[in-house]
Amino acid sequence: MKLDIFCEMMKPKAFFGEGQEHTLIQETLEQARLADELGYGCWWQVEHHAAPHFSYSSAPELMLTAIAQMTRRIRVGHSAVLAPVRINHPIRIAERAAFLDHLSKGRLELGLARSTIPEWRVFNVEADDVRRQAQQAFEAIPKMWTQEKFSWSSPDFTVNDISVVPKPYQKPHPRLWQAVASPGGFEQAGRNGVGALVTTIQNPIEAVSAMLDVYRGEIARCKPVGQTVNDQVALFTFVHCAETEREAIEHGAAAAVAWYINTSFSFFEARDFMLRATDELVASVARDPKSPLAEFARITAEKTRAPKTPMTQLLDRIMAGEEISNEEVYEILNADAAVIIGDVAQCRKKMQRYRDVGIDRLMCFQQVGHLPHEHIMKSIRLVGEHLIPEFDRD
């Protein structure tokens, strides 16, 4: 299992005050330089817009270019380009990605995503159109990269006999990925023959395992959109490694994770997004009751009927403004497999669970919430020095 880095570019004004933007950019570059030295597999940069309290990664292709120019080995991953046409036209995605592939000398990994409700609103995108538009981008971009002349006609965009340049450095083209957060997304990624970029937020490891069965089944019989199949699964989760468990607690890493979960649910308007995903799941199982999605539907139904978990209750208390000690937050969140916080031995044990269910790349999310730069750097170093040699034999 490769150990990667996942970056939101997060330094909220609420914790760090005004004027933190330039500092954040410089610190992120320093963290990427260290990750390259320590042998992390890939630096994954997200794309978000109009989210100053949550993410400053509004131009990830520029940040990844800067990282590529100052590193030697680490791959640069865009996770993921927001694919609706009003946000990123497929031609522009193909052009920018090919340029970055050259500038990195073939280290690019390219993901695509449907985006989310608030960003659809910012760019005036119709929610019912996004899955179709993302699919068109997946089908069109590899053709732009590999065909001398390219044409396309659909209600969303039309081009006639154009040459998209440059062509990528990697031949036939960079690996493709799809950001997935619902069973429908796993199905689509598998059918397309592209890698799956997965989040652990509110997805217990059993649910992730069930969705992996769906993905593996689809990709085994896929007709890939590109000229190669990428059958890897990369999962992002929270990681903070310290010298001792006590140090991890004192750093407040668990509190930072709790803040992130609450903030992300608010920013992404997660309730509406989950309702849409549930409707898709019900419709898919109705079409094929023997589908592996049926097992995921069972897990989801049980979770819905169950009383609130200690973690959910904790998040409610934080949202209500209650002051909760670092010790209590750590005790509750540490019971969740998706939260990897502690000393090297504790982090190793939790990482092994993801390797055992078949995750190919663990995207370690370490720059979170109010954590200061020095604690993030120490965590990156401890994971790099002690855990990368164990999990990534290459």
Side-chain angles (χ1 to χ4, degrees), residues 313-327:
Q313 294 171 359
L314 171 71
L315 296 175
D316 288 345
R317 291 165 61 194
I318 293 173
M319 284 289 284
E322 182 178 340
E323 291 290 334
I324 304 173
S325 69
N326 285 339
E327 286 80 3

Side-chain angles (χ1 to χ4, degrees), residues 130-350:
V130 293
R131 190 178 290 280
R132 183 190 70 245
Q133 291 184 9
Q135 181 62 31
Q136 289 180 92
F138 270 118
E139 294 172 7
I141 290 169
K143 293 181 173 65
M144 296 179 194
W145 283 337
T146 56
Q147 295 177 3
E148 196 60 38
K149 296 287 187 178
F150 171 77
S151 297
W152 185 272
S153 179
S154 78
D156 301 300
F157 73 100
T158 299
V159 294
N160 293 305
D161 203 30
I162 65 167
S163 295
V164 176
V165 293
K167 303 303 183 190
Y169 183 91
Q170 297 177 80
K171 303 303 180 188
H173 53 69
R175 279 192 292 247
L176 291 169
W177 300 79
Q178 179 171 347
V180 296
S182 67
F186 277 87
E187 280 189 312
Q188 186 180 19
R191 287 196 303 270
N192 285 335
V194 303
L197 298 166
V198 189
T199 174
T200 58
I201 296 179
Q202 293 297 294
N203 278 328
I205 199 165
E206 296 80 9
V208 171
S209 181
M211 287 191 284
L212 286 180
D213 290 341
V214 175
Y215 173 74
R216 300 294 187 199
E218 292 290 343
I219 206 164
R221 56 180 179 270
C222 75
K223 294 182 179 179
V225 292
Q227 294 193 9
T228 60
V229 172
N230 177 19
D231 62 354
Q232 296 182 76
V233 175
L235 179 142
F236 111 79
T237 198
F238 311 100
V239 175
H240 185 78
C241 192
E243 295 280 0
T244 64
E245 182 180 36
R246 169 47 51 185
E247 184 178 83
I249 294 171
E250 291 175 351
H251 285 176
V257 168
W259 174 88
Y260 173 84
I261 294 173
N262 270 338
T263 304
S264 66
F265 267 60
S266 175
F267 172 73
F268 291 126
E269 300 178 25
R271 182 180 179 277
D272 291 339
F273 190 85
M274 287 180 172
L275 289 173
R276 180 178 290 273
T278 301
D279 290 342
E280 291 179 355
L281 175 62
V282 170
S284 181
V285 173
R287 289 193 302 268
D288 180 11
K290 295 183 179 180
S291 163
L293 285 176
E295 173 63 13
F296 180 78
R298 183 190 64 78
I299 294 171
T300 302
E302 289 181 355
K303 182 180 175 183
T304 302
R305 290 192 297 267
K308 284 191 174 183
T309 65
M311 181 174 176
T312 304
Q313 294 171 359
L314 171 71
L315 296 175
D316 288 345
R317 291 165 61 194
I318 293 173
M319 284 289 284
E322 182 178 340
E323 291 290 334
I324 304 173
S325 69
N326 285 339
E327 286 80 3
E328 185 179 0
V329 178
Y330 173 78
E331 182 181 349
I332 293 171
L333 264 64
N334 193 45
D336 192 319
V339 180
I340 301 177
I341 296 174
D343 59 22
V344 170
Q346 290 170 307
C347 291
R348 177 190 298 115
K349 184 177 180 180
K350 284 196 169 183

Side-chain angles (χ1 to χ4, degrees), residues 40 52 55 60 63 67 76 85 108 141 148 216 234 296 340 348:
Y40 282 82
S55 173
M63 195 66 189
I67 289 171
V76 287
V85 175
L108 175 67
I141 290 169
E148 196 60 38
R216 300 294 187 199
F296 180 78
I340 301 177
R348 177 190 298 115

Side-chain angles (χ1 to χ4, degrees), residues 22-42:
H22 184 72
T23 301
L24 169 62
I25 292 170
Q26 299 308 310
E27 289 177 351
T28 302
L29 291 172
E30 188 177 348
Q31 292 163 20
R33 188 180 296 112
L34 178 62
D36 179 55
E37 293 171 1
L38 293 169
Y40 282 82
C42 184

